[in-house]
Amino acid sequence: MVNFFCHCRMVAIVRVGAILGLVFLGSCSQNLNMSRIEAIIQNDIERQGRRLSLKSVICPNRVEKQAEAYFRCVGELPDGGQFTINVIQQDDQGTLSWDVPSSKVLINLASVEETIQDETKEALGKRLAIDCRDAYRVNQRGETFECDVVGAGTVAAGRVESVMVTVDRDGNLGWQEVLIAAGGAVPDPAAIAPPGTTAAAQVSSTPATVADDVAESTPKPTADSTAGSTAGSTAEAEEDGDD
């Protein structure tokens, strides 16, 4: 007689880039435990978001373990706004990674940081380390928020103190670098120019367009549910024990 022993254990929180994920090792089922995956993803997004509470995360009812297989979940805010969560299986043992692309509902601040860093390098001749403090925030029209410059922000024209990000009425983002001139002059915060314009103390960027809705913010899955790699948190999800 052969005895099979399956077990489940929780491993420590790990850090992948700017995203935190909780690692689980699961049972012997051939299917992923989708309810557990939904709970892990929702907890992960809420923990990293700025005052962010989700109504739910909904994933497909049944997904078989398969390396590199892709599926899509949908997150919903209490006001009914929905956003896409792209999930890919890293192996056939239940190791998952997920990514939340910026949309008209939710902003992925890690993606915003990367874009600002690339554009400030082109505009100012130096790549600045940008920290928007959280991983996600709700896309609120007309809102302005600040991202920090980490470390030395010295450039030819002076010193970049921070970056002010503005959300326009269509949900697109624009930003300006708050620059202290070489002579020490500090800009008046009230004089910050709107996206697409240039003020004396700032260098303005081109507004960034985000996806209109859930359908446009992610590639469509193929017939075999396989897609390319994604960036995001990593979890080894427990599989269903009753399948």
Side-chain angles (χ1 to χ4, degrees), residues 22-203:
L22 193 60
V23 177
F24 286 88
L25 299 180
S27 67
C28 300
S29 171
Q30 294 303 308
N31 295 314
L32 298 173
N33 185 331
M34 302 310 294
S35 61
R36 180 176 289 271
I37 291 171
E38 291 168 345
I40 292 173
I41 294 176
Q42 179 168 343
N43 181 69
D44 187 76
I45 294 174
E46 289 179 332
R47 184 176 62 249
Q48 299 176 73
R50 180 183 181 276
R51 301 176 184 174
L52 184 58
S53 177
L54 303 186
K55 179 180 178 180
S56 64
V57 169
I58 304 298
C59 297
N61 291 329
R62 182 183 296 271
V63 176
E64 184 176 348
K65 292 188 298 184
Q66 179 182 342
E68 299 184 0
Y70 160 89
F71 61 91
R72 180 169 61 195
C73 302
V74 175
E76 183 174 0
L77 300 181
D79 65 3
Q82 295 184 337
F83 58 91
T84 294
I85 304 164
N86 300 321
V87 185
I88 190 167
Q89 299 186 53
Q90 300 298 316
D91 54 33
D92 61 359
Q93 301 301 310
T95 305
L96 309 176
S97 67
W98 59 85
D99 174 53
V100 182
S102 286
S103 69
K104 298 297 179 68
V105 174
L106 197 68
I107 301 172
N108 183 322
L109 292 173
S111 176
V112 172
E113 290 167 354
E114 184 176 353
T115 303
I116 293 175
Q117 288 170 165
D118 291 341
E119 293 201 2
T120 52
K121 180 179 181 180
E122 182 177 350
L124 302 174
K126 179 179 180 179
R127 183 180 177 88
L128 304 175
I130 305 298
D131 181 9
C132 294
R133 306 172 189 174
D134 300 292
Y136 310 105
R137 69 184 296 136
V138 176
N139 190 327
Q140 295 182 324
R141 277 47 166 188
E143 182 182 46
T144 297
F145 59 92
E146 185 176 24
C147 295
D148 300 323
V149 175
V150 181
T154 304
V155 295
R159 185 176 76 254
V160 180
E161 287 287 284
S162 62
V163 177
M164 303 301 296
V165 181
T166 300
V167 185
D168 69 17
R169 63 183 181 181
D170 295 320
N172 298 317
L173 308 182
W175 45 83
Q176 304 85 41
E177 293 80 8
V178 179
L179 180 68
I180 296 181
V186 180
D188 180 0
I192 294 177
T197 64
T198 302
Q202 294 91 25
V203 177

